[in-house]
């Protein structure tokens, strides 16, 4: 599937206030009708539809229907690969070409590659990547960290924190909350029709029910019902993919934190509320809390570390890795989608 990173030319970085409002509305509810969006924004549904068509055609954003791997019994991982600087770019590009990676970036002065992987089932038995990497001469070290709980990300992005919509507008657009699954809840089982439907939504989260019905052979009413059921089960969520030049921040970094386990949930919740945080999750390993940070300068990152991060409850240790280049992924806020 082609990503915006493949798009030719350069996109204007700035969205207008009206475009930002529409983008935030779609981030809140990617399947909201243009009538629902128009009512919340105070415009006509034709205006809302026209703005969406223009932004999508220009390659600035699109809506994707994605799945939560934990609700399907799959395992999401962040893999860190330390290698010699002369080999980082070539190894990273090779990892980006693989179908079992969803984003790949170069960090730490070009000596580290980070990527996201998703494996079927609870373990790392399947991925050939982790079997091949240690045998590559230029690779110094490989570590894999399983994502245990997402505090901020998936259907939430930076625009949820910085967008122009009022609290009343946000409330009008917010779909019913999905109850959090119990830790011992059985994974949701998909049939072939579900998988086909989800594959189509992963390409276009706003595809019309009639279009989805024609492509899957299901009835329109079945498509509507199954989308609602998958959302309620926490399997399906909708996210806005932004071109890398939209909502851009000039300094990005990966943040690895060691938190007292007794205060991990508390620290994760606090971290999720920081405006600088694009993604935050509990992970396995000595550093048990991971975050992707996006700010406008190194100076502001320093201030963020010494003020907001230093005040996190239960903080034991901090490690940072500036992100220099994105080789694969949906945009500048990494990893927002897994």
């Amino acid at each position: 599937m082609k990503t915006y990173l493949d798009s030719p030319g350069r996109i204007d970085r700035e969205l207008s206030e009206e475009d930002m409002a529409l983008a935030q509305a779609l981030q809140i509810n990617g399947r909201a009708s243009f009538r629902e969006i128009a009512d919340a924004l105070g415009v006509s549904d034709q205006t809302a539809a026209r703005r969406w068509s223009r932004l999508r055609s220009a390659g600035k954003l699109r809506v994707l229907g994605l799945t939560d791997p934990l609700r399907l019994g799959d395992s999401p991982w962040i893999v860190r690969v330390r290698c010699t600087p002369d080999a980082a770019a070539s190894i990273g590009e090779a990892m980006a070409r693989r179908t079992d990676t969803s984003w790949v970036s170069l960090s730490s002065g070009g000596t580290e590659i980070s990527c996201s992987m998703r494996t079927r089932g609870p373990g790392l038995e399947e991925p050939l990547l982790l079997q091949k990497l240690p045998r590559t001469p230029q690779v110094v070290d490989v570590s894999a960290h399983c994502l245990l709980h997402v505090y901020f990300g998936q259907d939430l992005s930076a625009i949820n924190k910085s967008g122009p919509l009022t609290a009343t507008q946000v409330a009008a657009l917010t779909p019913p909350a999905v109850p959090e699954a119990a830790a011992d809840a059985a994974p949701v089982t998909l049939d072939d029709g579900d998988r086909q439907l989800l594959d189509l939504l992963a390409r276009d989260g706003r595809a019309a029910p009639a279009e989805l019905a024609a492509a899957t052979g299901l009835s329109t009413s079945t498509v509507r019902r199954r989308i609602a059921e998958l959302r309620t089960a926490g399997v399906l969520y909708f996210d806005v993919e932004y071109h890398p030049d939209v909502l851009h921040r000039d300094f990005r970094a990966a943040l690895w934190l060691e938190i007292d386990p007794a205060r991990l949930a508390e620290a994760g919740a606090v971290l999720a509320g920081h405006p600088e945080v694009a993604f935050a999750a509990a992970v396995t390993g000595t550093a048990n809390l991971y975050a992707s940070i996006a700010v406008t300068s190194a100076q502001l990152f320093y201030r963020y570390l010494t003020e907001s991060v230093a005040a996190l409850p239960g903080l034991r240790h901090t490690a940072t890795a500036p992100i220099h280049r994105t080789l694969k992924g949906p945009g500048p806020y990494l990893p927002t989608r897994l």
Side-chain angles (χ1 to χ4, degrees):
M1 182 174 65
K2 183 178 181 180
T3 70
Y4 289 147
L5 293 177
D6 302 313
S7 302
R10 188 165 185 81
I11 306 297
D12 292 337
R13 285 190 175 188
E14 297 298 329
L15 293 180
S16 68
E17 186 81 0
E18 294 80 9
D19 291 345
M20 285 285 286
L22 176 60
Q24 186 180 0
L26 291 169
Q27 188 71 65
I28 294 169
N29 187 354
R31 290 290 292 184
S33 69
F34 287 121
R35 169 56 63 189
E36 292 172 316
I37 294 172
D39 288 345
L41 301 187
V43 299
S44 68
D45 52 348
Q46 294 90 346
T47 296
R50 186 171 61 252
R51 286 176 183 165
W52 161 246
S53 179
R54 173 175 51 81
L55 289 170
R56 189 174 186 274
S57 298
K60 290 191 174 184
L61 53 85
R62 61 178 174 175
V63 175
L64 305 179
L66 304 174
T67 56
D68 183 346
L70 296 176
R71 291 297 296 126
L72 294 175
D74 295 341
S75 297
W77 298 80
I78 297 177
V79 178
R80 304 177 70 182
V81 181
R82 289 196 300 117
C83 55
T84 58
D86 61 305
S90 60
I91 293 176
E93 288 165 1
M95 292 170 63
R97 289 192 294 268
R98 297 182 61 91
T99 58
D100 54 359
T101 62
S102 57
W103 59 262
V104 181
S105 63
L106 297 180
S107 59
S108 300
T111 61
E112 182 175 320
I113 306 164
S114 296
C115 79
S116 171
M117 298 179 61
R118 177 170 173 169
T119 63
R120 293 189 179 276
L124 271 171
E125 294 86 356
E126 290 186 19
L128 295 175
L129 178 62
L130 295 184
Q131 299 174 20
K132 293 181 177 180
L133 281 173
R135 296 198 296 267
T136 304
Q138 297 90 343
V139 170
V140 177
D141 181 63
V142 178
S143 62
H145 308 264
C146 184
L147 268 70
L148 304 176
H149 180 81
V150 175
Y151 297 108
F152 188 83
Q154 294 185 330
D155 60 336
L156 299 174
S157 83
I159 201 170
N160 290 96
K161 301 175 181 179
S162 61
L165 299 188
T166 66
T168 300
Q169 291 173 311
V170 170
L173 288 162
T174 301
V178 175
E180 186 171 347
D184 57 352
V188 175
T189 301
L190 303 177
D191 59 27
D192 291 340
D194 291 332
R195 294 188 185 92
Q196 191 174 7
L197 178 61
L198 291 170
D199 284 344
L200 293 168
L201 290 169
R203 296 180 178 90
D204 181 5
R206 289 190 61 80
E211 178 184 345
L212 295 169
T216 59
L218 303 171
S219 68
T220 303
S221 60
T222 298
V223 165
R224 289 196 177 97
R225 174 179 57 80
R226 198 57 186 141
I227 288 176
E229 290 172 347
L230 290 170
R231 292 182 80 174
T232 301
V235 171
L236 175 64
Y237 65 93
F238 294 90
D239 189 22
V240 177
E241 180 183 73
Y242 300 91
H243 186 278
D245 286 338
V246 174
L247 303 181
H248 184 79
R249 295 294 183 270
D250 291 324
F251 190 94
R252 295 179 292 123
L255 185 63
W256 298 88
L257 305 174
E258 182 183 347
I259 302 291
D260 185 338
R263 309 199 70 180
L264 180 58
E266 180 186 1
V270 172
L271 191 67
H274 292 174
E276 299 85 355
V277 171
F279 180 87
V283 296
T284 57
T286 303
N288 53 4
L289 183 57
Y290 169 85
S292 178
I293 310 300
V295 292
T296 55
S297 68
Q299 290 83 356
L300 287 178
F301 184 60
Y302 169 77
R303 183 184 302 172
Y304 173 64
L305 287 176
T306 56
E307 295 177 4
S308 300
V309 174
L312 286 173
L315 180 64
R316 293 178 175 178
H317 181 74
T318 303
T320 60
I323 298 171
H324 304 293
R325 182 181 170 198
T326 300
L327 301 175
K328 180 181 183 180
Y333 299 106
L334 298 174
T336 60
R337 302 158 185 84
L338 293 167

